[in-house]
Amino acid sequence: MTGWPEGIRCTLMRGGTSKGAYFLAEDLPADPADRDDLLLRVMGSPDPRQIDGLGGAHPLTSKVALVSVSADPRADVDYLFLQVGVEEPVVSDRQNCGNLLAGVGPFAVERALVTAGEPQTSVRVRMLNTGDLAVATFPTPGGRIAVTGEAGISGVPGTAAPVLIEFPRGGGPLLPTGNPRDVVAGTEVTCVDNGMPTVLIPATALDVTGHEAPKDLEEAQALAGRLREIRLAAGRLMGLGDVEHTTVPKLSLLAPPRDGGAVATRTFIPVRCHTSIGVLGAASVAAGLRVRGGVGEGIAQLPPTGGRLRIEHPTGFLDVETDVAYGADGRPSASRTAVVRTARKIFDGTVFPRPADRSFRPFRS
């Protein structure tokens, strides 16, 4: 083979506290296996440094967003999130990513899938991973996407234009097991899904404080074994089946807040400790804290009325507006969830994947 491989138009964006490659779905192969093989070569996987691709050697920077015009009358665009493995040839569509979601609306406007409004634009997004809906609203003065603004989020230097993301009430149960508490692998937990299947665990139940640095938690071998045991058992209990090769459910350790928030968290994806917290993971934590009888009782410090909860994480905090209501059947549901994120276009151009290696095929999960 001579010359460069065929290039693909790509936009690299930071969305919230993640970074990923955004593509129009029509620019990639329709066959999932061929698409995943291509994305592994684009991101430089499998390789711990992802030295030969766009990936940043961490799950938070090895992500892909596929965007297309939606056929659903409730949405303007469809968004498929793909988590690309770093050290393994794995591409997973088993979860959403609320951080990359922050960039979907601006990307859709830039690629002319949606016409910008004045002074702001709202883009209705259908998240294909779960079928859930979201509305992203961001400033577009003069019909152009605002590049600067005063919104700051922990884990990202500086400020930028805000992207308000609102999630309507989901169709699935907030408590997938039907219980505010379950005993999983000998540990009391709360299994919750407010956009992201998440297992809430009191940090002290795993013999840690929940305030440790992510690196220290990752190096604790005994903790890793306990977390794996809980995740595999909780996955089955939550109706997710065998989660050995998936990144859901997330595991969030809960500890008393230290900086004026509602709770301190340490979240695993699935074995790497998140340096902050995902948007949908935080939404699930916030809703789970409002469930009567959940494991957050006695740990979290909640305001007397509903509304905004500040979720502390290793590099700061994430504010989530959430309310939980109980129906006539006594089951809780999240009646409203909203967060503010920011996004920034880093480059828009052509990415050249490394040549195909037929010695392996990607493992899909």
Side-chain angles (χ1 to χ4, degrees), residues 14-17 99 102 139 147-164 276 279 308 310-311 313 315-320 339-343:
R14 175 188 61 77
T17 53
N99 274 304
V147 177
T148 60
E150 299 302 317
I153 60 175
S154 297
V156 177
T159 61
V163 180
L164 175 65
S276 56
V279 169
R308 180 173 299 180
R310 176 157 291 183
I311 308 299
H313 56 70
T315 52
F317 61 86
L318 194 158
D319 288 336
V320 181
V339 298
V340 172
R341 297 276 84 188
T342 65

Tab-separated table of all heavy atoms in Angstrom, residues 14-17 99 102 139 147-164 276 279 308 310-311 313 315-320 339-343:
chain	number	residue	atom	x	y	z
A	14	ARG	N	-13.981	18.928	23.098
A	14	ARG	CA	-14.156	18.669	24.515
A	14	ARG	C	-15.619	18.869	24.826
A	14	ARG	O	-16.200	19.898	24.512
A	14	ARG	CB	-13.335	19.644	25.365
A	14	ARG	CG	-13.613	19.446	26.876
A	14	ARG	CD	-12.977	20.503	27.736
A	14	ARG	NE	-13.462	21.847	27.448
A	14	ARG	CZ	-14.635	22.345	27.836
A	14	ARG	NH1	-15.490	21.578	28.500
A	14	ARG	NH2	-14.975	23.586	27.542
A	15	GLY	N	-16.209	17.865	25.436
A	15	GLY	CA	-17.576	17.970	25.918
A	15	GLY	C	-17.560	17.754	27.412
A	15	GLY	O	-17.196	16.670	27.875
A	16	GLY	N	-17.893	18.776	28.198
A	16	GLY	CA	-17.810	18.660	29.645
A	16	GLY	C	-16.396	18.335	30.075
A	16	GLY	O	-15.437	19.009	29.696
A	17	THR	N	-16.234	17.259	30.835
A	17	THR	CA	-14.913	16.850	31.298
A	17	THR	C	-14.385	15.654	30.516
A	17	THR	O	-13.494	14.937	30.988
A	17	THR	CB	-14.949	16.512	32.801
A	17	THR	OG1	-15.983	15.560	33.050
A	17	THR	CG2	-15.211	17.766	33.621
A	99	ASN	N	-21.324	13.898	29.059
A	99	ASN	CA	-20.339	14.934	28.792
A	99	ASN	C	-20.217	15.205	27.293
A	99	ASN	O	-20.313	16.352	26.850
A	99	ASN	CB	-18.989	14.551	29.400
A	99	ASN	CG	-18.880	14.967	30.854
A	99	ASN	OD1	-19.041	16.123	31.192
A	99	ASN	ND2	-18.633	14.009	31.727
A	102	ALA	N	-22.830	17.315	25.604
A	102	ALA	CA	-22.751	18.780	25.608
A	102	ALA	C	-22.272	19.334	24.279
A	102	ALA	O	-22.579	20.482	23.932
A	102	ALA	CB	-21.816	19.246	26.731
A	139	PRO	N	-25.994	29.454	23.740
A	139	PRO	CA	-26.114	30.767	23.091
A	139	PRO	C	-25.610	30.753	21.659
A	139	PRO	O	-24.554	30.193	21.364
A	139	PRO	CB	-25.264	31.677	23.986
A	139	PRO	CG	-24.325	30.760	24.689
A	139	PRO	CD	-25.026	29.463	24.848
A	147	VAL	N	-18.436	31.264	21.351
A	147	VAL	CA	-17.189	30.567	21.681
A	147	VAL	C	-16.785	30.829	23.124
A	147	VAL	O	-16.235	29.964	23.807
A	147	VAL	CB	-16.056	31.005	20.723
A	147	VAL	CG1	-14.737	30.354	21.099
A	147	VAL	CG2	-16.434	30.658	19.284
A	148	THR	N	-17.066	32.030	23.619
A	148	THR	CA	-16.661	32.395	24.973
A	148	THR	C	-17.886	32.603	25.850
A	148	THR	O	-19.008	32.799	25.373
A	148	THR	CB	-15.826	33.685	24.957
A	148	THR	OG1	-16.617	34.743	24.401
A	148	THR	CG2	-14.566	33.501	24.122
A	149	GLY	N	-17.659	32.554	27.151
A	149	GLY	CA	-18.735	32.761	28.118
A	149	GLY	C	-18.194	32.693	29.524
A	149	GLY	O	-16.995	32.533	29.742
A	150	GLU	N	-19.094	32.797	30.490
A	150	GLU	CA	-18.691	32.870	31.890
A	150	GLU	C	-18.957	31.591	32.660
A	150	GLU	O	-18.777	31.547	33.885
A	150	GLU	CB	-19.421	34.037	32.573
A	150	GLU	CG	-19.108	35.396	31.967
A	150	GLU	CD	-17.620	35.700	31.996
A	150	GLU	OE1	-16.974	35.430	33.037
A	150	GLU	OE2	-17.091	36.195	30.973
A	151	ALA	N	-19.369	30.528	31.987
A	151	ALA	CA	-19.660	29.280	32.684
A	151	ALA	C	-18.366	28.499	32.925
A	151	ALA	O	-17.583	28.260	31.997
A	151	ALA	CB	-20.635	28.426	31.878
A	152	GLY	N	-18.140	28.126	34.172
A	152	GLY	CA	-16.986	27.315	34.515
A	152	GLY	C	-17.430	25.994	35.110
A	152	GLY	O	-18.424	25.938	35.837
A	153	ILE	N	-16.727	24.918	34.777
A	153	ILE	CA	-17.031	23.612	35.351
A	153	ILE	C	-15.744	23.025	35.918
A	153	ILE	O	-14.664	23.207	35.351
A	153	ILE	CB	-17.687	22.646	34.341
A	153	ILE	CG1	-16.770	22.393	33.135
A	153	ILE	CG2	-19.023	23.182	33.872
A	153	ILE	CD1	-17.319	21.356	32.175
A	154	SER	N	-15.869	22.337	37.027
A	154	SER	CA	-14.702	21.736	37.657
A	154	SER	C	-14.077	20.701	36.737
A	154	SER	O	-14.778	19.940	36.070
A	154	SER	CB	-15.100	21.082	38.979
A	154	SER	OG	-15.576	22.034	39.898
A	155	GLY	N	-12.752	20.698	36.715
A	155	GLY	CA	-12.038	19.749	35.875
A	155	GLY	C	-11.660	20.308	34.531
A	155	GLY	O	-10.961	19.646	33.759
A	156	VAL	N	-12.117	21.530	34.219
A	156	VAL	CA	-11.800	22.173	32.942
A	156	VAL	C	-11.279	23.574	33.242
A	156	VAL	O	-11.961	24.349	33.918
A	156	VAL	CB	-13.039	22.263	32.023
A	156	VAL	CG1	-12.705	23.000	30.736
A	156	VAL	CG2	-13.566	20.865	31.714
A	157	PRO	N	-10.104	23.928	32.762
A	157	PRO	CA	-9.588	25.275	33.038
A	157	PRO	C	-10.373	26.349	32.298
A	157	PRO	O	-10.908	26.122	31.211
A	157	PRO	CB	-8.139	25.212	32.525
A	157	PRO	CG	-8.141	24.109	31.511
A	157	PRO	CD	-9.146	23.115	31.983
A	158	GLY	N	-10.471	27.524	32.917
A	158	GLY	CA	-11.118	28.659	32.270
A	158	GLY	C	-12.629	28.559	32.246
A	158	GLY	O	-13.246	27.730	32.921
A	159	THR	N	-13.238	29.431	31.439
A	159	THR	CA	-14.696	29.474	31.306
A	159	THR	C	-15.078	29.400	29.835
A	159	THR	O	-14.241	29.568	28.943
A	159	THR	CB	-15.277	30.756	31.918
A	159	THR	OG1	-14.737	31.889	31.223
A	159	THR	CG2	-14.939	30.850	33.404
A	160	ALA	N	-16.350	29.163	29.595
A	160	ALA	CA	-16.849	29.038	28.217
A	160	ALA	C	-18.343	29.316	28.216
A	160	ALA	O	-18.951	29.569	29.263
A	160	ALA	CB	-16.554	27.645	27.664
A	161	ALA	N	-18.944	29.285	27.029
A	161	ALA	CA	-20.390	29.473	26.918
A	161	ALA	C	-21.111	28.286	27.550
A	161	ALA	O	-20.691	27.135	27.380
A	161	ALA	CB	-20.786	29.608	25.451
A	162	PRO	N	-22.189	28.539	28.282
A	162	PRO	CA	-22.896	27.431	28.940
A	162	PRO	C	-23.717	26.611	27.954
A	162	PRO	O	-24.254	27.125	26.973
A	162	PRO	CB	-23.808	28.152	29.933
A	162	PRO	CG	-24.082	29.483	29.291
A	162	PRO	CD	-22.806	29.850	28.577
A	163	VAL	N	-23.813	25.331	28.247
A	163	VAL	CA	-24.723	24.425	27.539
A	163	VAL	C	-25.627	23.823	28.612
A	163	VAL	O	-25.176	23.029	29.438
A	163	VAL	CB	-23.976	23.317	26.780
A	163	VAL	CG1	-24.979	22.399	26.070
A	163	VAL	CG2	-22.990	23.898	25.781
A	164	LEU	N	-26.891	24.240	28.623
A	164	LEU	CA	-27.854	23.701	29.577
A	164	LEU	C	-28.445	22.424	28.989
A	164	LEU	O	-29.012	22.437	27.891
A	164	LEU	CB	-28.968	24.703	29.857
A	164	LEU	CG	-30.111	24.200	30.745
A	164	LEU	CD1	-29.609	23.907	32.155
A	164	LEU	CD2	-31.267	25.198	30.770
A	276	SER	N	-13.211	13.139	37.755
A	276	SER	CA	-14.345	13.991	38.141
A	276	SER	C	-15.562	13.076	38.287
A	276	SER	O	-15.553	12.171	39.097
A	276	SER	CB	-14.557	15.126	37.126
A	276	SER	OG	-14.724	14.622	35.816
A	279	VAL	N	-21.736	13.248	33.639
A	279	VAL	CA	-22.996	13.974	33.795
A	279	VAL	C	-24.128	13.036	34.190
A	279	VAL	O	-24.854	13.279	35.166
A	279	VAL	CB	-23.348	14.721	32.492
A	279	VAL	CG1	-24.771	15.258	32.546
A	279	VAL	CG2	-22.367	15.858	32.250
A	308	ARG	N	-31.342	21.975	43.443
A	308	ARG	CA	-29.946	21.736	43.084
A	308	ARG	C	-29.183	20.987	44.171
A	308	ARG	O	-29.269	21.300	45.351
A	308	ARG	CB	-29.256	23.074	42.820
A	308	ARG	CG	-27.791	22.958	42.425
A	308	ARG	CD	-27.231	24.292	42.006
A	308	ARG	NE	-27.955	24.812	40.839
A	308	ARG	CZ	-27.671	25.967	40.252
A	308	ARG	NH1	-26.699	26.728	40.735
A	308	ARG	NH2	-28.346	26.366	39.199
A	310	ARG	N	-25.157	19.691	44.890
A	310	ARG	CA	-23.757	19.793	44.479
A	310	ARG	C	-23.066	18.463	44.779
A	310	ARG	O	-22.931	18.054	45.932
A	310	ARG	CB	-23.070	20.945	45.198
A	310	ARG	CG	-21.584	21.058	44.905
A	310	ARG	CD	-21.063	22.465	45.150
A	310	ARG	NE	-21.597	23.390	44.140
A	310	ARG	CZ	-21.259	24.674	44.067
A	310	ARG	NH1	-20.425	25.193	44.953
A	310	ARG	NH2	-21.772	25.447	43.113
A	311	ILE	N	-22.644	17.796	43.718
A	311	ILE	CA	-21.976	16.509	43.840
A	311	ILE	C	-20.467	16.756	43.793
A	311	ILE	O	-19.925	17.158	42.757
A	311	ILE	CB	-22.391	15.543	42.714
A	311	ILE	CG1	-23.928	15.445	42.612
A	311	ILE	CG2	-21.765	14.175	42.927
A	311	ILE	CD1	-24.609	14.936	43.845
A	313	HIS	N	-16.503	15.806	43.650
A	313	HIS	CA	-15.692	14.757	43.027
A	313	HIS	C	-14.219	15.133	43.184
A	313	HIS	O	-13.905	16.196	43.746
A	313	HIS	CB	-16.111	14.543	41.569
A	313	HIS	CG	-16.063	15.760	40.711
A	313	HIS	ND1	-14.878	16.365	40.320
A	313	HIS	CD2	-17.044	16.505	40.131
A	313	HIS	CE1	-15.126	17.404	39.555
A	313	HIS	NE2	-16.442	17.526	39.429
A	315	THR	N	-11.895	16.502	41.529
A	315	THR	CA	-11.348	17.774	41.039
A	315	THR	C	-12.328	18.930	41.182
A	315	THR	O	-12.166	19.963	40.533
A	315	THR	CB	-10.908	17.646	39.559
A	315	THR	OG1	-11.994	17.108	38.784
A	315	THR	CG2	-9.694	16.743	39.428
A	316	GLY	N	-13.345	18.763	42.008
A	316	GLY	CA	-14.268	19.879	42.215
A	316	GLY	C	-15.677	19.412	42.476
A	316	GLY	O	-15.930	18.611	43.373
A	317	PHE	N	-16.617	19.892	41.648
A	317	PHE	CA	-18.016	19.561	41.887
A	317	PHE	C	-18.802	19.653	40.584
A	317	PHE	O	-18.345	20.241	39.600
A	317	PHE	CB	-18.636	20.504	42.918
A	317	PHE	CG	-18.634	21.954	42.494
A	317	PHE	CD1	-19.653	22.477	41.724
A	317	PHE	CD2	-17.581	22.792	42.860
A	317	PHE	CE1	-19.639	23.803	41.309
A	317	PHE	CE2	-17.563	24.119	42.452
A	317	PHE	CZ	-18.588	24.619	41.679
A	318	LEU	N	-19.994	19.082	40.606
A	318	LEU	CA	-20.948	19.181	39.501
A	318	LEU	C	-22.312	19.419	40.123
A	318	LEU	O	-22.758	18.651	40.977
A	318	LEU	CB	-20.947	17.915	38.646
A	318	LEU	CG	-21.633	17.990	37.275
A	318	LEU	CD1	-21.086	16.901	36.356
A	318	LEU	CD2	-23.142	17.837	37.372
A	319	ASP	N	-22.967	20.497	39.720
A	319	ASP	CA	-24.298	20.826	40.224
A	319	ASP	C	-25.363	20.155	39.365
A	319	ASP	O	-25.333	20.249	38.125
A	319	ASP	CB	-24.528	22.340	40.219
A	319	ASP	CG	-23.719	23.043	41.302
A	319	ASP	OD1	-23.367	22.397	42.303
A	319	ASP	OD2	-23.430	24.241	41.141
A	320	VAL	N	-26.278	19.486	40.023
A	320	VAL	CA	-27.376	18.793	39.342
A	320	VAL	C	-28.686	19.266	39.946
A	320	VAL	O	-28.853	19.250	41.168
A	320	VAL	CB	-27.269	17.259	39.490
A	320	VAL	CG1	-28.408	16.572	38.739
A	320	VAL	CG2	-25.930	16.755	39.006
A	339	VAL	N	-28.485	19.924	34.053
A	339	VAL	CA	-27.104	20.261	34.412
A	339	VAL	C	-26.596	21.316	33.439
A	339	VAL	O	-27.105	21.463	32.321
A	339	VAL	CB	-26.166	19.033	34.373
A	339	VAL	CG1	-26.600	17.984	35.371
A	339	VAL	CG2	-26.115	18.441	32.969
A	340	VAL	N	-25.567	22.049	33.861
A	340	VAL	CA	-24.884	22.989	32.978
A	340	VAL	C	-23.499	22.441	32.670
A	340	VAL	O	-22.739	22.107	33.580
A	340	VAL	CB	-24.772	24.388	33.617
A	340	VAL	CG1	-23.890	25.295	32.758
A	340	VAL	CG2	-26.147	25.006	33.773
A	341	ARG	N	-23.203	22.331	31.397
A	341	ARG	CA	-21.886	21.895	30.924
A	341	ARG	C	-21.327	22.957	29.973
A	341	ARG	O	-21.993	23.941	29.641
A	341	ARG	CB	-21.979	20.562	30.185
A	341	ARG	CG	-22.449	19.395	31.008
A	341	ARG	CD	-21.312	18.748	31.793
A	341	ARG	NE	-21.038	19.424	33.049
A	341	ARG	CZ	-20.009	19.139	33.830
A	341	ARG	NH1	-19.144	18.206	33.466
A	341	ARG	NH2	-19.837	19.778	34.948
A	342	THR	N	-20.129	22.749	29.504
A	342	THR	CA	-19.553	23.568	28.434
A	342	THR	C	-18.926	22.633	27.418
A	342	THR	O	-18.678	21.450	27.695
A	342	THR	CB	-18.483	24.544	28.964
A	342	THR	OG1	-17.371	23.802	29.468
A	342	THR	CG2	-19.046	25.456	30.047
A	343	ALA	N	-18.676	23.153	26.234
A	343	ALA	CA	-18.040	22.367	25.170
A	343	ALA	C	-17.168	23.300	24.332
A	343	ALA	O	-17.422	24.509	24.274
A	343	ALA	CB	-19.089	21.684	24.295
